[in-house]
Amino acid sequence: MAGWGGRWVVGVRKVSLVSLGLGRSGLRRLRVVACMVVFAGLVGVPAAEGADPYEDSLAEAAVAPVLQWVDCAEGFECSTAAVPLDYHRPQEDRIELAVIKLPATDPGSRIGTLFVNFGGPGPSGVDRLRERARWPWLFSAELRERFDIVSWDPRGVARSAAARCFPNTTEQLAFLGSFPDMPGDQAGEADFYGRNQELADRCRALAGPVLDHASTANTARDLELLRRAVGDAQLTYHGISYGTLVGATYANMFPGRVRAMVFDGSMDFDGSVNGHGGQGDTVPVDTRQNVAAGIATTFDAFLRDCAAAGPKCAFSAGDPTLKWPVLAERARLAPIRMAGEIFTYSSIINAAANLSRPDTYPQLATLLQMLFDAGTSWPGIVPIADRESYTGNRTEAFYTTQCVDSAVPTDLGIYSRTAITEDVRVPYFGRIGVLDMMACAFWQARDADRYTGPWNRRTAAPILVLNSRFDPATPLQGAVAGAAQLARAQVVTIEGMGHSSMYVASTCAERVKRDYLFSTELPPAGTGCAVDAAPFS
């Protein structure tokens, strides 16, 4: 889920995607013993003391790429890394991954390389590192002194064998720009299902062979080759949102190679891949991870903070907790027209659920108040910018990985029935967790290498998990469940709203992360962190 952890990249009005700055968890836990190594596809290699001795044999057989770094402006260095398309045939077709590095500012005290996956799946890691490497609450000056920070476009994304489901950008933007809203009731389901099937069909026809080799397991193998390429004996890693699944997969495929790992905005790994108790064929991915409840509790916190902020929040006049159902139910009865735009119930719900970035909360409050008044002029919809080159494949890349990673129901009746019950269980937001990955019901690609567990192999170092109290994309209860699935992990809660410390600024959380990455030692039990500022401060 990017933005929303990578979720909901289609089916949301442009106002929520652009004007509000929009930016995701296998089988039951398996006890693996030596006699099951053949089933797991693993062989033994030397491991750090105390770690599980098994390592993935396919990556071991592949040759590490040679990275030739060149200056690419603003202090960054760039390279490409050649890796196997199919790790079962490592000497055959190869793909190139785009890689970027911000070198350590104090080479004399350098510890090594910090690999970062910013989530999704779908967004460009190269672009995100350029944008965010110097955000002080994410990567402090002290952290940047001691680590080269490296990110990459994972396979299928942007510059790395991109999954392209359209012949050109114009057709891509026309299709995605006209995509129907995620339906707020049964009336819109048939059209929504049909367009998702069309998207899946387009990807099967045009995306090429990467479609069948885009699992997170293969991304973890790519990461292992990148670790070898930079010369680090073990991996130091920071995974955000979907990046926590990349980290958990790597940690269980290469347990002896882990130096330190931070999972930030973390997932329920069992829930994402196959669901608990075999839910994969009967319960949609985000329903089994209870994402709708995460949205609802975050939205309730948003309304409370808005009321407390007074005039600093545009939706605060009166009682926001009473105004919201009035607005939503009015839109359910009939669309709201404002300055030539039509806002349906579905589009308003989708906009209200866009809660990953607290810095957009004032804009969301303004939109809700304008819709409530339904007479204030609206400044207009910001158009989606065109691109000269076709690297913006975030939507297609999201499904390319998500749909081969996770078991999903294919019976459309399950989605329609579950949408009804979830809308009762979690008013307004229940349907989102049911329908937000709808294209996966029609997906035709399969990756035989997808990783389904176990998740509890003992790594060479424990794992630090950060999660905000109110996270709409990776709910805290899911992060706690995911941490419990790992062999050694500790959760540190950030007392704020929004998705991951990338968006929930907390100097405290950065310091906890930094100290752990320096020492590989977890903080004292019970450690928690405050945010630097409230959204409406």
Side-chain angles (χ1 to χ4, degrees):
M1 200 173 185
W4 280 298
R7 301 175 170 95
W8 318 338
V9 285
V10 296
V12 185
R13 289 183 63 91
K14 294 177 190 174
V15 63
S16 63
L17 281 169
V18 180
S19 299
L20 298 179
L22 171 66
R24 169 148 244 280
S25 258
L27 293 169
R28 302 180 194 91
R29 183 181 303 170
L30 302 177
R31 299 284 183 183
V32 176
V33 294
C35 64
M36 299 176 67
V37 170
V38 173
F39 171 79
L42 306 172
V43 297
V45 299
E49 182 179 355
D52 190 307
Y54 302 119
E55 305 289 342
D56 179 79
S57 61
L58 297 180
E60 287 297 312
V63 177
V66 175
L67 299 176
Q68 296 180 334
W69 298 105
V70 297
D71 179 84
C72 53
E74 299 178 329
F76 292 95
E77 297 176 5
C78 295
S79 185
T80 58
V83 299
L85 171 67
D86 182 348
Y87 275 89
H88 294 273
R89 299 172 177 82
Q91 305 307 319
E92 296 183 11
D93 293 341
R94 298 176 76 76
I95 58 176
E96 288 195 338
L97 308 179
V99 188
I100 188 170
K101 173 173 68 174
L102 185 64
T105 59
D106 184 1
S109 64
R110 177 182 174 276
I111 294 172
T113 300
L114 175 61
F115 286 93
V116 182
N117 182 295
F118 288 92
S124 164
V126 171
D127 292 345
R128 287 199 161 184
L129 190 67
R130 279 194 180 278
E131 296 163 358
R132 302 168 188 190
R134 296 181 175 93
W135 286 5
W137 67 91
L138 190 58
F139 304 113
S140 64
E142 293 84 356
L143 185 65
R144 289 187 285 107
E145 283 180 354
R146 305 198 65 188
F147 285 100
D148 295 339
I149 303 179
V150 170
S151 191
W152 75 105
D153 289 354
R155 55 176 56 213
V157 175
R159 305 165 185 85
S160 298
R164 298 177 176 176
C165 304
F166 303 89
N168 53 60
T169 306
T170 300
E171 189 167 333
Q172 178 209 34
L173 295 180
F175 181 89
L176 299 181
S178 64
F179 210 90
D181 294 322
M182 197 180 302
D185 54 37
Q186 289 177 290
E189 287 178 0
D191 184 31
F192 188 70
Y193 294 168
R195 293 297 295 277
N196 274 280
Q197 181 170 8
E198 183 180 352
L199 176 61
D201 291 344
R202 284 174 176 263
C203 290
R204 179 70 278 181
L206 296 176
V210 72
L211 218 61
D212 297 301
H213 301 283
S215 65
T216 296
N218 281 327
T219 289
R221 293 184 177 106
D222 294 342
L223 179 55
E224 167 62 5
L225 295 194
L226 290 174
R227 177 198 66 79
R228 287 159 54 187
V230 301
D232 283 8
Q234 292 180 304
L235 180 76
T236 305
Y237 178 80
H238 182 191
I240 300 170
S241 192
Y242 160 75
T244 67
L245 181 61
V246 175
T249 302
Y250 181 98
N252 284 278
M253 291 174 66
F254 307 97
R257 305 299 187 195
V258 174
R259 177 189 171 274
M261 282 188 160
V262 177
F263 292 176
D264 187 355
S266 194
M267 293 169 58
D268 171 359
F269 310 115
D270 276 336
S272 178
V273 176
N274 269 0
H276 305 284
Q279 294 173 312
D281 295 333
T282 58
V283 182
V285 177
D286 273 352
T287 302
R288 61 200 192 215
Q289 296 183 94
N290 207 19
V291 167
I295 298 169
T297 56
T298 305
F299 188 70
D300 288 345
F302 161 82
L303 294 176
R304 291 195 301 271
D305 265 34
C306 177
K312 294 179 180 179
C313 175
F315 197 55
S316 65
D319 186 341
T321 62
L322 298 179
K323 290 167 64 178
W324 163 248
V326 170
L327 169 59
E329 296 306 324
R330 176 185 169 191
R332 196 197 297 266
L333 292 173
I336 296 175
R337 295 179 179 273
M338 190 166 62
E341 292 293 328
I342 297 176
F343 293 83
T344 65
Y345 172 80
S346 298
S347 65
I348 293 171
I349 296 301
N350 288 323
N354 183 4
L355 297 164
S356 288
R357 297 186 57 161
D359 62 334
T360 68
Y361 288 8
Q363 296 164 270
L364 174 59
T366 298
L367 174 62
L368 295 179
Q369 185 61 44
M370 293 170 72
L371 289 168
F372 188 81
D373 293 338
T376 305
S377 61
W378 176 242
I381 306 301
V382 178
I384 298 176
D386 201 349
R387 297 171 183 260
E388 292 183 1
S389 59
Y390 187 4
T391 60
N393 72 326
R394 177 171 169 171
T395 297
E396 303 97 297
F398 171 77
Y399 291 117
T400 295
T401 294
Q402 183 69 61
C403 297
V404 297
D405 264 356
S406 298
V408 301
T410 57
D411 178 356
L412 299 186
I414 289 176
Y415 292 90
S416 296
R417 292 189 296 271
T418 307
I420 294 172
T421 57
E422 283 294 286
D423 213 16
V424 173
R425 187 180 73 90
V426 186
Y428 306 117
F429 304 112
R431 285 176 163 267
I432 289 175
V434 179
L435 302 175
D436 61 354
M437 299 181 192
M438 198 66 222
C440 292
F442 306 101
W443 208 251
Q444 299 162 51
R446 297 291 181 269
D447 188 338
D449 287 332
R450 83 181 185 105
Y451 188 80
T452 61
W455 302 104
N456 62 345
R457 288 206 172 97
R458 187 176 178 85
T459 53
I463 294 170
L464 173 65
V465 177
L466 304 174
N467 218 87
S468 58
R469 174 73 63 186
F470 301 106
D471 191 316
T474 53
L476 179 58
Q477 69 175 44
V480 171
Q485 292 155 23
L486 303 170
R488 292 185 294 169
Q490 178 178 327
V491 179
V492 172
T493 302
I494 304 170
E495 298 296 339
M497 296 178 287
H499 180 42
S500 82
S501 70
M502 181 164 64
Y503 297 132
V504 185
S506 170
T507 302
C508 166
E510 200 282 338
R511 183 175 62 253
V512 168
K513 174 181 69 180
R514 182 200 329 157
D515 290 347
Y516 162 76
L517 290 175
F518 287 175
S519 69
T520 73
E521 295 179 3
L522 292 173
T527 297
C529 280
V531 297
D532 292 348
F536 300 104
S537 61

